[in-house]
Amino acid sequence: MSTVVTENPPRSIGSVLRAYVALTKPRVVEQLLVTTIPAMLLAQRGVPSLWLVLATLVGGTMAAASANALNCVIDADIDAVMKRTSTRPLVRSQVSPRNALIFAVTLGLGSFGFLWLTTNLLAAVLAVATILFYVLVYTMVLKRRTAQNIIWGGAAGCMPVVIGWSAVTGTVEWPALVMFGVIFFWTPPHTWALAMRFREDYKRAGVPMLPAVAPAEYVSRQIVIFSWVMVVWTLLLVPAASWIYLALAVVSGAWFLISAHRLHLGVRRGVEVRPMRLFHLSNTYLMALFVGLAVDSVIGWPAFGWTFSF
């Protein structure tokens, strides 16, 4: 591995704060929060207490930030090699590993205490379990050892919907598990599209992300397969929703599948493809799907079969 780049540490308070915020990977946190609110609205089948929503978002943000900061500490050697991550705070010595570790652990402990006090113990335990899974299972074991890293490791990114549901109900019921599955099957196409663009980065860092170790045609075929499973899985939420969600799930799902097939067809034909289009589309798709679920829950039209259970 390449030696971590060293630069003069920042001197101003603003630059120090920006460095610590960067450790938390704000864009990733934003994505997680987009799915948390709709899960809470669906659990309530309306609008929960705004204080409860705010508390869950704050606690969830702290948990996600803790996991991301710990990931930065553990993966500093990889980040230094990859162009995409070469400007992260630890690589540029804007934050010391010790301080980053203290910051991350403090956030994690704070998230547990805050969620326990403001929501319930189940939500707090699930938040800590997510941090531990992301760090111990994905970052420290799967990421550097198997091409299936993101398939199983991506489960950590699915937990905010379960935490949001449990914050409202104090339980984990089938719709929460279905939403978990939606994000679980969404994660590989989303991540592999990005990795197709940066496969040389992953090769250089020795990270066996699928596009770095498998032929492009195989990768694009896997993207199509997971995309189909994801779209079909979204329909399992229909009994808990109304026509609003069903229409949006079908239309947006068809849009995503067409884009995935186009990528695969381009790879098969040997023409230049732009996997980042699918990557950006995947963000839009997930947001649209969950916003549609939120709107459906707030409007409160009769669900197809709310009492349906596995």
Side-chain angles (χ1 to χ4, degrees):
M1 292 293 179
S2 176
T3 303
V4 174
V5 177
T6 58
E7 295 189 1
N8 292 328
R11 297 181 181 276
S12 69
I13 294 178
S15 59
V16 171
L17 291 176
R18 285 192 294 271
Y20 276 97
V21 170
L23 280 176
T24 68
K25 303 179 185 178
R27 290 186 179 180
V28 176
V29 174
E30 289 173 9
Q31 176 184 299
L32 299 179
L33 298 183
V34 163
T35 60
T36 302
I37 296 177
M40 298 183 72
L41 296 174
L42 180 62
Q44 184 72 33
R45 198 62 188 163
V47 181
S49 159
L50 294 181
W51 161 248
L52 179 63
V53 174
L54 179 61
T56 305
L57 293 180
V58 171
T61 297
M62 293 170 67
S66 171
N68 289 333
L70 287 168
N71 174 265
C72 285
V73 173
I74 297 168
D75 280 352
D77 58 333
I78 293 176
D79 290 343
V81 176
M82 299 177 64
K83 292 181 180 179
R84 186 173 63 87
T85 57
S86 60
T87 60
R88 286 181 176 170
L90 284 172
V91 178
R92 297 170 64 87
S93 295
Q94 294 174 324
V95 180
S96 71
R98 176 180 177 275
N99 288 348
L101 181 60
I102 293 173
F103 174 65
V105 172
T106 301
L107 281 173
L109 294 174
S111 70
F112 175 80
F114 184 81
L115 285 171
W116 189 4
L117 289 173
T118 59
T119 61
N120 54 61
L121 180 59
L122 177 59
V125 169
L126 289 173
V128 172
T130 302
I131 297 172
L132 295 176
F133 181 87
Y134 182 71
V135 174
L136 300 179
V137 177
Y138 172 66
T139 303
M140 298 185 69
V141 177
L142 297 175
K143 184 173 182 178
R144 305 189 190 213
R145 289 177 172 81
T146 173
Q148 294 191 13
N149 47 20
I150 201 62
I151 297 177
W152 306 109
C158 310
M159 287 301 294
V161 294
V162 182
I163 294 170
W165 184 281
S166 66
V168 173
T169 66
T171 62
V172 176
E173 299 171 87
W174 72 265
L177 300 179
V178 174
M179 287 184 285
F180 177 101
V182 170
I183 304 171
F184 182 83
F185 293 118
W186 168 88
T187 301
H190 168 77
T191 307
W192 287 336
L194 176 69
M196 287 180 72
R197 168 66 177 82
F198 294 101
R199 61 183 176 275
E200 295 303 323
D201 256 7
Y202 287 106
K203 287 182 179 180
R204 187 163 47 249
V207 177
M209 196 66 71
L210 188 64
V213 298
E217 185 173 341
Y218 177 81
V219 176
S220 61
R221 185 183 300 115
Q222 292 300 305
I223 287 176
V224 169
I225 292 172
F226 272 87
S227 297
W228 270 100
V229 175
M230 173 191 69
V231 171
V232 172
W233 191 271
T234 64
L235 301 181
L236 295 179
L237 270 178
V238 169
S242 73
W243 286 101
I244 297 174
Y245 172 77
L246 174 60
L248 186 60
V250 170
V251 172
S252 62
W255 178 34
F256 193 94
L257 289 174
I258 290 171
S259 299
H261 277 280
R262 283 178 176 171
L263 175 65
H264 180 53
L265 183 60
V267 171
R268 289 186 60 188
R269 289 178 174 175
V271 300
E272 182 180 357
V273 295
R274 297 181 179 179
M276 290 301 290
R277 287 182 175 178
L278 186 65
F279 171 76
H280 292 303
L281 171 62
S282 66
N283 286 324
T284 303
Y285 167 78
L286 191 68
M287 179 179 295
L289 186 73
F290 275 86
V291 167
L293 187 62
V295 171
D296 189 303
S297 302
V298 172
I299 290 179
W301 287 1
F304 285 102
W306 179 250
T307 58
F308 172 85
S309 61
F310 291 131

